Amino acid sequence: MSTRWTWHGGGLGAARAHFGEGALPWLDLSTGINPQPWPHAESLAIDWQSLPDEGALRDLERAAAEHFGCDPAHVCAVPGTEVGLRLTGDLLGQASAFHLTPTYRTHGEIVAGSREIALSEVEKADGETLILANPNNPDGRLLEPATLMAWLARRGAKGWLIVDEAFADCHEGMSLAGEVSDHRRLLVFRSFGKFFGLAGVRLGFVIGPRDVLVAMRARLGAWPVSSAAIAIGTAAYRDTAWIAATRTRLVEDAAALDRDLAKLGYEARGSCPLFRLIDCGDAQALFDHLARHAILTRPFDAEPRWLRLGLPPGAEARERLLSVLALHG
């Protein structure tokens, strides 16, 4: 497979260049981003001439903390969780670590020389830093908080538990954010763009002990996130009605897609409703088939049978996906 398609989702420009435009507009299902974003971003008044206000940044962190269910003193806004994750290895000074697979490519790069470890062998990481996503990408695996807290207890005096909760907004009550304290070697990362469908805002959060956040802020410098990110994030996190309705809608939409995929012989897996993973035998062939019909999906180098599908943005897009899948022999 082309490494461009397996590196990460969202390569629509590369897809157009490689496969052409097609008879219909491209349908990008290569990411796990809510296709129906928070709808009020464009109506907000944003001061584009002034530097981001520090008080407004603290308001954002308080609004996010209330949504996460944790103390605002343990929340630090960053320009996307990718940045926060990549700063973490240096800040913690870890010489070794394990990352639970399958997972994001970034997780293997947080600590130099980090080793892959399967869920069935996680006890081999006892005493070491352990990096994982919950819910996991790409298989949607969701681990109970009690399980993760037991793993935290086994980190020993030097190891950390680092949990990437990029998709956790879909799963109320499953976050470890409220467990973070100054006395625990626990770091949690949250993403704004996926659940709220506004990945271009580039906003994320590090939730951790205060001494780690002080070091993180020193690395980030002044004005770590834009005025637009501050305004949009604050308003969106406080829109509790939209958040509740969206959680329900995403679960319903994912269940409907699962039923339709099953009729075509594809069994979807995973607990996260923002994407569905199917085992399709030859994912390269199915990826190419869909791309020739201007539908972009996500294959994986390490798992040639897996193809990940983001949620279509509506009934018309879902029917288009299903009709093209039905044509694949």
Side-chain angles (χ1 to χ4, degrees), residues 68 111 137:
F68 303 151
V111 176
N137 174 45

Side-chain angles (χ1 to χ4, degrees), residues 259-290:
R259 290 191 294 270
D260 290 334
L261 290 171
K263 294 175 184 177
L264 297 175
Y266 298 106
E267 181 180 356
R269 58 187 291 187
S271 298
C272 183
L274 283 171
F275 57 84
R276 319 307 297 141
L277 186 73
I278 59 174
D279 186 326
C280 52
D282 186 349
Q284 174 69 75
L286 184 54
F287 170 83
D288 287 344
H289 169 74
L290 290 166

Side-chain angles (χ1 to χ4, degrees), residues 171-281:
H171 304 276
E172 190 173 13
M174 298 299 289
S175 175
L176 287 193
E179 302 293 343
V180 170
S181 77
D182 290 334
H183 309 294
R184 284 177 170 155
R185 299 175 71 84
L186 171 64
L187 283 176
V188 175
F189 291 80
R190 294 292 289 256
S191 170
F192 174 78
K194 292 179 172 60
F195 178 78
F196 289 93
L198 298 170
V201 171
R202 304 310 304 141
L203 177 63
F205 299 87
V206 183
I207 307 165
R210 281 176 287 187
D211 59 344
V212 175
L213 300 191
V214 167
M216 179 72 71
R217 289 189 172 104
R219 290 291 186 93
L220 291 168
W223 315 297
V225 297
S226 70
S227 295
I230 292 172
I232 293 169
T234 303
Y237 280 125
R238 288 176 175 163
D239 193 347
T240 55
W242 183 90
I243 290 168
T246 298
R247 283 175 173 151
T248 299
R249 177 185 57 78
L250 288 172
V251 170
E252 292 174 349
D253 288 353
L257 180 59
D258 287 355
R259 290 191 294 270
D260 290 334
L261 290 171
K263 294 175 184 177
L264 297 175
Y266 298 106
E267 181 180 356
R269 58 187 291 187
S271 298
C272 183
L274 283 171
F275 57 84
R276 319 307 297 141
L277 186 73
I278 59 174
D279 186 326
C280 52

Side-chain angles (χ1 to χ4, degrees), residues 139-194:
D139 60 355
R141 176 186 64 217
L142 183 63
L143 299 171
E144 292 289 332
T147 297
L148 298 180
M149 291 303 293
W151 290 358
L152 174 63
R154 301 209 299 266
R155 294 308 98 214
K158 296 182 179 180
W160 287 77
L161 183 66
I162 299 174
V163 185
D164 184 347
E165 293 185 347
F167 294 102
D169 297 281
C170 299
H171 304 276
E172 190 173 13
M174 298 299 289
S175 175
L176 287 193
E179 302 293 343
V180 170
S181 77
D182 290 334
H183 309 294
R184 284 177 170 155
R185 299 175 71 84
L186 171 64
L187 283 176
V188 175
F189 291 80
R190 294 292 289 256
S191 170
F192 174 78
K194 292 179 172 60

